[in-house]
Amino acid sequence: MRLALVLLLALLVAAPVPLRAQGTDVTPSTGEIDAAAITGRHGMVASQEAQASRIGAAVLARGGNAVDAAVATAFALAVTLPRAGNLGGGGFLVLHRASGEAVTVDFRETAPAAATATMFLDAKGDADPELSRFSARAIAVPGSVAGLALAHERYGSGRLPLAALIAPAIALARDGVPVTGDLFETLTLAERRLGRWPSSTRVFLPGGRPPADGDLLRQPDLAATLERIAADGPDGFYRGPVAEKIVATVQGAGGLLTLADLAGYRAVVRPPVRGTYRGFGIVAMPPPSSGGVHLVEMLNILEGFDLKSRGAGSPAAFHLQIEAMKLAYADRAAFLGDADQVDVPLAKLLSKDYAAELRRSIDPGRARPSAEIRPDSPALGGGGANTTHLSVVDRDGNAVALTTSLNFNYGMGLTADGTGVLLNNTMDDFSAKPGAPNAFGLVGSAANAPAPGKRPLSSMTPAIVVKDGRAVLVTGAPGGSRIISTVLQVILNRIDFGLSPALAVAAPRVHHQWRPDEVLLERAVPEATARALAAMGHPVRVGPTAGSAHTVVVTPDGMVGVADRRARGAGAAGD
């Protein structure tokens, strides 16, 4: 039975199958995608794991604010969703306060001090994916602990200490979580990745095999690490015994991380990227996220089209979205990087005038080949459930969108011995060489080359939509390169097409990232729609689901928490 399950899961995550434009081999599924919604008035949390959402909701019930709940949920996810929730990765937090103030916390990982622009090239000067994805050189300086602690210190309610927010995660790690659903499936699929490392085998593959369905996963080393953070704050992670064990493990595997790298890490508070769309405000993450910039860019382009009259999910509406995606992802490849180290032309990319210029290049009835977009780009040479997102709104109207990642499922697969901390392989998000694609097929320029202390470009797109100064939609998603297009479509489904919160999240999605020149359709996209897009000239592929956009929507009748069932085990909680 285990073998049959492994084969089935392998098929579900296999590379998408081609959909030929000639129409002789079009076989998209018509399977439904579900989203579970609940309504409350006093606070709401939606995340990729139901138990973690309940922990966040309990914090709200105890008088904590949205930041407190987000921090507690994120620490819980490090235990209950180890493939993406983490202490050893990084992420972004967007906060819109009830006062109207908005800030972001950047806790993206940074490159070690020994990083160089050529560190992932082989002897011929070509990008070597083995080095950037599977060697310990791919491990960047983790940021999650620093970011969550900073958010709590500056923006928490002050009613609950950090230790109280970490306490539920400690109990879960010590007492164990059931290995069912998503955890069972992903541990089965990650057996080879985790089995490379004795330290990970001891935690996740007891007896050398994944746990059986229904077993308890106990993580006593992780519980001890969380206890040290609860007692000492970030210093309990970035200095002292935990830091020493992390560095010993990384260097023992051939990585570059040092004690100085850990001790020197800082999360950063930044002003958000802002935009407007049809009278709504958009609050999103600035670089090193590419998501906020290009979400606003795509919305600016699409604002000049009447999407509503074309209809939700119609070929005509999808076509315009796809064309806007191409333009924005081409700009991502050309311009985006860590704005602390390179010049990113934010004002231009976010301007309505620039969007109008791009809009004029779109033919409403015909696909434009990607080769015609930025044909001089060096990037012309060349999906994953690896990340997790949570959304929170509290009774006062404070809203948090928080996305974190290890990059791949279970990151590097390497657990820092004696700590329970899974380590990231985020360095692959740098451009190993201009034009060389990363694991998600994204290409970039020298603006995103590795350098000491630099933060790699990310597609994570935590976003908040506001109206009259109040948050009305909080969303984000995992999904690698498909994150930005997922968030875009949730917002369009709600604003342009007026879909209910659940349908706005559940509706089938499309994706285009400029390179490669192809449209990726979820299997739930109707066959007729797929054929119509192919007839417009779009090279189309049908593939797995895109992201899981756990969302909170504020309506006149209350808060609606939507758990995107593309992720098994997702849940919303509130009252």
Side-chain angles (χ1 to χ4, degrees):
M1 183 172 178
R2 179 184 290 270
L3 178 59
L5 177 61
V6 171
L7 292 173
L8 174 60
L9 293 172
L11 287 172
L12 290 175
V13 298
V17 294
L19 172 67
R20 296 201 172 96
Q22 290 84 354
T24 58
D25 198 22
V26 181
T27 56
S29 166
T30 57
E32 295 294 324
I33 297 173
D34 185 26
I38 66 167
T39 302
R41 291 190 174 274
H42 303 122
M44 188 65 63
V45 180
S47 84
Q48 200 160 333
E49 201 280 319
Q51 190 165 206
S53 293
R54 290 194 292 269
I55 287 169
V59 168
L60 294 177
R62 291 171 60 190
N65 67 8
V67 172
D68 296 328
V71 169
T73 305
F75 275 112
L77 287 168
V79 181
T80 63
L81 192 79
R83 68 179 173 95
N86 66 82
L87 304 184
F92 302 128
L93 182 151
V94 176
L95 166 64
H96 187 274
R97 305 179 83 175
S99 64
E101 175 195 9
V103 297
T104 73
V105 180
D106 171 4
F107 53 101
R108 180 68 160 160
E109 303 96 319
T110 57
T116 68
T118 59
M119 63 185 293
F120 297 127
L121 302 183
D122 62 19
K124 297 180 181 178
D126 295 326
D128 185 346
E130 288 294 320
L131 287 176
S132 65
R133 300 171 196 175
F134 305 113
S135 80
R137 288 192 168 203
I139 300 170
V141 186
S144 290
V145 173
L148 296 174
L150 178 62
H152 171 260
E153 177 186 356
R154 293 206 186 177
Y155 306 111
S157 66
R159 298 186 183 99
L160 298 170
L162 184 63
L165 303 180
I166 299 175
I170 295 171
L172 288 169
R174 182 187 61 240
D175 299 338
V177 295
V179 179
T180 59
D182 179 87
L183 183 56
F184 171 66
E185 293 174 359
T186 59
L187 282 173
T188 301
L189 289 171
E191 180 176 359
R192 183 177 177 184
R193 171 180 296 277
L194 295 166
R196 294 174 60 200
W197 314 103
S199 56
S200 294
T201 298
R202 284 193 291 273
V203 177
F204 297 106
L205 306 174
R209 295 174 60 82
D213 195 357
D215 283 356
L216 280 180
L217 173 64
R218 292 185 173 92
Q219 302 173 74
D221 287 343
L222 181 59
T225 296
L226 288 165
E227 287 173 341
R228 190 170 290 275
I229 297 167
D232 300 334
D235 280 351
F237 182 87
Y238 292 96
R239 301 173 187 272
V242 172
E244 290 166 2
K245 291 174 183 176
I246 291 172
V247 168
T249 297
V250 174
Q251 293 189 356
L256 304 179
L257 194 67
T258 67
L259 287 171
D261 290 325
L262 284 172
Y265 182 85
R266 297 292 181 272
V268 181
V269 173
R270 303 186 188 277
V273 160
R274 289 185 179 270
T276 61
Y277 185 69
R278 305 199 197 283
F280 291 84
I282 308 297
V283 182
M285 196 71 207
S289 166
S290 62
V293 176
H294 296 301
L295 173 65
V296 172
E297 181 179 357
M298 289 186 289
L299 289 170
N300 284 343
I301 294 169
L302 292 169
E303 195 170 33
F305 295 107
D306 182 1
L307 293 181
K308 182 177 181 179
S309 68
R310 289 170 166 88
S314 69
F318 275 151
H319 166 73
L320 294 175
Q321 294 169 47
I322 291 162
E323 293 301 294
M325 291 173 195
K326 290 180 191 177
L327 294 165
Y329 277 86
D331 280 352
R332 182 193 191 279
F335 298 121
L336 266 287
D338 183 348
D340 289 344
Q341 296 203 23
V342 298
D343 183 19
V344 178
L346 284 181
K348 176 178 179 179
L349 294 172
L350 297 171
S351 76
K352 300 282 190 182
D353 288 343
Y354 179 59
E357 177 185 332
L358 294 177
R359 190 184 308 121
R360 287 192 288 271
S361 70
I362 294 176
D363 182 338
R366 191 71 188 164
R368 182 183 182 190
S370 289
E372 294 180 6
I373 302 171
R374 297 203 171 278
D376 57 340
S377 172
L380 288 180
N386 40 50
T387 299
T388 189
H389 176 82
L390 63 97
S391 297
V392 185
V393 179
D394 65 26
R395 68 180 65 225
D396 296 320
N398 301 299
V400 170
L402 189 156
T403 312
T404 69
S405 183
L406 285 167
N407 198 35
F408 283 14
N409 269 341
Y410 297 95
M412 175 59 60
L414 173 61
T415 301
D417 202 10
T419 71
V421 175
L422 276 161
L423 297 165
N424 67 80
N425 61 344
T426 299
M427 295 289 284
D428 186 59
D429 279 347
F430 283 115
S431 298
K433 182 179 181 179
N438 70 4
F440 301 101
L442 289 168
V443 293
S445 67
N448 190 37
K454 192 174 182 180
R455 297 172 192 244
L457 195 58
S458 172
S459 294
M460 290 184 284
T461 314
I464 299 173
V465 178
V466 300
K467 183 70 172 178
D468 300 326
R470 303 282 290 179
V472 296
L473 187 152
V474 186
T475 193
S481 58
R482 294 174 290 170
I483 293 173
I484 311 173
S485 58
T486 293
V487 173
L488 171 73
Q489 288 167 91
V490 171
I491 292 173
L492 295 178
N493 287 341
R494 186 72 182 143
I495 293 178
D496 281 289
F497 304 121
L499 299 185
S500 70
L503 288 177
V505 170
R509 300 176 190 141
V510 301
H511 172 75
H512 200 301
Q513 61 188 52
W514 178 59
R515 287 287 170 176
D517 190 359
E518 63 187 14
V519 178
L520 184 64
L521 305 181
E522 288 190 318
R523 293 188 176 100
V525 173
E527 181 177 334
T529 301
R531 291 187 184 279
L533 290 171
M536 290 181 181
H538 292 288
V540 179
R541 288 203 301 162
V542 178
T545 55
S548 48
H550 313 298
T551 300
V552 176
V553 177
V554 180
T555 75
D557 297 322
M559 303 173 195
V560 181
V562 184
D564 190 338
R565 291 294 177 83
R566 291 169 174 85
R568 287 193 62 185
D575 68 351

